[in-house]
Amino acid sequence: MFVDLSPLKNNAEFRKLFTGQTVSFFGSMMSYVAIPYQTYEITKSSFLVGLISSVQLVPLLIAGLYGGALADMVDRRKLLLIAEVGLFITTLLFLVNSMLPNPSIVILMILAAVSSALVGLHRPAMDAIVPQLVEKKDLQAVAALGSLRYAIGAVAGPALAGVLIAAVGVKATYAIDALTFLISIWALWLMKPVPTPEALDKADLNSIKEGIRFAYKNPLILGTYLVDIIAMVFAMPLALFPQLAEEFNQKKHLGLLYAAMPIGAGIVSLFSKPLNKYNRHGAGVILAATVWGIFVTLMAFSPDLLWMSAALFMAGAADSVSAIYRSTIWNEVIPPNVRGRLGSLNMLSYMVGPLIGNMRAGSMAAITGTHHSILWGGVLCVIACASCIWIFPTFWNYRSETVYSE
């Protein structure tokens, strides 16, 4: 049952990439906590903490679309190297700003925007390079390993950041993040070049539009985007966690709410090998998204935050199954020459849903209360996701012809 480690054991180039990116993602999740914390520490304004997300979003969208086209034009390893060096320098500047007698909120926001743009260049290249490094039979194992990497970083990074911030302040978190980028840069440097097959002549608006048209005309790719967006828009409860902790008078358990989903996702990823035996990946995505909605709905009937955390744990486990099958479908059906542009759309698809979902949850909670927001969001998610069986029949009936590693 244990996650299939054969891609790491048998493929030196993938092992270098995976190791470096695992370390750097852990560091990035530390800064993910440090940036909003330092913003509040400087300004004492929750509004400006929220504004940081808005400042990061626009550069990420623009650079993400352009980065996808670049990933289909240049050596993908080289693009990753450039983005990682840029992120290393930006993190050092975060550290320098934090060491000033009066750290600047303006500098902090500018650096947050630059960092977000660099992530937009990085992620499409990362999504595009992996299928070039591994055999087709290992794609699902690679998807599970990616999900496991995310879960470990999403739990351990913020946890360590919280301890360090309480003990010595944000300086240590930025310093460790910068060191992790040095490790990932070194790992990329050791890799061989990974040129793009049938590379674009230039990365421009027309090439971006071409990638969007390709995704729109392919029901399998479109299905992965829309099912995930539907699930997140209706049933993303993250924005309600602080209010729930206050309503239940259980602030000491707030951390459990944030940790429960990635822990559930991590455990499923760790024991994901049985998923290799199920080749109806489209049905797997729809069913997993529906189960996600069911467990979010059950949160509304929970008597305290511990039971809510248990429901979130199961929701995170279901979301991990969906993520593994979505990633496998992308790698199975997307041609090598458009993987960068489609990688940028993949990134946007799993960003837009949670963003709108948190807005929906927060605004509905302000009108009807937190429990009604969770309940009706979860119910609508279940109905909408189950309806995808009839809305996307090609996606529902898709069967992979690949035999995955046992």
Side-chain angles (χ1 to χ4, degrees), residues 23-364:
V23 174
S24 67
F25 179 69
F26 171 80
S28 296
M29 291 306 295
M30 293 179 67
S31 289
Y32 177 78
V33 174
I35 292 170
Y37 176 86
Q38 189 183 16
T39 302
Y40 187 79
E41 189 178 46
I42 295 170
T43 66
K44 304 302 179 186
S45 169
S46 294
F47 171 76
L48 288 176
V49 174
L51 188 61
I52 282 282
S53 297
S54 301
V55 166
Q56 291 175 306
L57 180 60
V58 175
L60 184 66
L61 292 173
I62 296 171
L65 289 171
Y66 183 64
L70 273 180
D72 285 338
M73 186 180 77
V74 303
D75 184 316
R76 287 162 175 167
R77 167 186 161 273
K78 186 180 294 184
L79 183 57
L80 282 173
L81 259 175
I82 292 169
E84 295 260 345
V85 170
L87 287 165
F88 168 68
I89 294 171
T90 307
T91 306
L92 284 181
L93 293 174
F94 275 119
L95 175 60
V96 171
N97 184 53
S98 71
M99 295 172 71
L100 296 174
N102 296 299
S104 168
I105 186 61
V106 175
I107 293 175
L108 186 68
M109 287 195 169
I110 292 172
L111 291 175
V114 172
S115 177
S116 187
L118 288 166
V119 170
L121 294 178
H122 179 280
R123 188 55 193 253
M126 180 65 186
D127 284 348
I129 199 174
V130 170
Q132 285 185 256
L133 299 177
V134 301
E135 297 181 44
K136 195 170 184 179
K137 66 181 180 64
D138 291 325
L139 288 177
Q140 191 158 306
V142 166
L145 287 168
S147 181
L148 180 61
R149 175 181 62 202
Y150 169 79
I152 292 172
V155 174
L160 180 57
V163 172
L164 288 174
I165 289 171
V168 294
V170 296
K171 301 179 189 69
T173 62
Y174 292 136
I176 292 174
D177 190 11
L179 288 174
T180 64
F181 278 120
L182 286 178
I183 294 171
S184 61
I185 290 167
W186 176 72
L188 286 166
W189 184 261
L190 293 177
M191 291 175 60
K192 300 173 184 176
V194 188
T196 301
E198 302 175 39
L200 288 171
D201 293 328
K202 60 179 180 178
D204 57 12
L205 186 59
N206 287 331
S207 61
I208 293 172
K209 288 179 179 177
E210 183 182 306
I212 294 172
R213 282 194 296 269
F214 183 92
Y216 180 74
K217 292 178 180 178
N218 190 309
L220 298 178
I221 298 171
L222 194 62
T224 62
Y225 296 164
L226 294 181
V227 172
D228 186 50
I229 289 172
I230 288 169
M232 295 298 109
V233 165
F234 287 120
M236 172 51 73
L238 208 68
L240 305 180
F241 289 175
Q243 187 174 344
L244 287 168
E246 187 171 309
E247 288 177 354
F248 280 103
N249 195 25
Q250 292 181 319
K251 292 182 180 180
K252 64 180 180 180
H253 295 318
L254 178 59
L256 285 175
L257 293 179
Y258 286 103
M261 284 193 289
I263 290 174
I267 290 177
V268 165
S269 303
L270 190 62
F271 298 100
S272 58
K273 202 168 185 180
L275 297 178
N276 292 351
K277 299 177 181 179
Y278 187 67
N279 72 339
R280 291 196 58 187
H281 295 156
V285 170
I286 292 175
L287 292 173
T290 304
V291 172
W292 154 274
I294 290 171
F295 280 107
V296 171
T297 303
L298 289 176
M299 285 180 64
F301 301 96
S302 301
D304 54 36
L305 293 195
L306 292 176
W307 281 101
M308 281 194 170
S309 298
L312 286 167
F313 172 90
M314 296 303 297
D319 188 51
S320 180
V321 173
S322 174
I324 290 169
Y325 284 141
R326 288 198 315 272
S327 180
T328 306
I329 291 171
W330 290 334
N331 289 330
E332 285 175 340
V333 304
I334 298 174
N337 62 314
V338 295
R339 278 183 180 146
R341 284 164 288 175
L342 272 291
S344 67
L345 296 179
N346 295 347
M347 180 180 69
L348 297 183
S349 73
Y350 55 70
M351 279 175 42
V352 171
L355 178 67
I356 298 175
N358 278 317
M359 291 172 59
R360 191 245 14 123
S363 57
M364 190 171 177

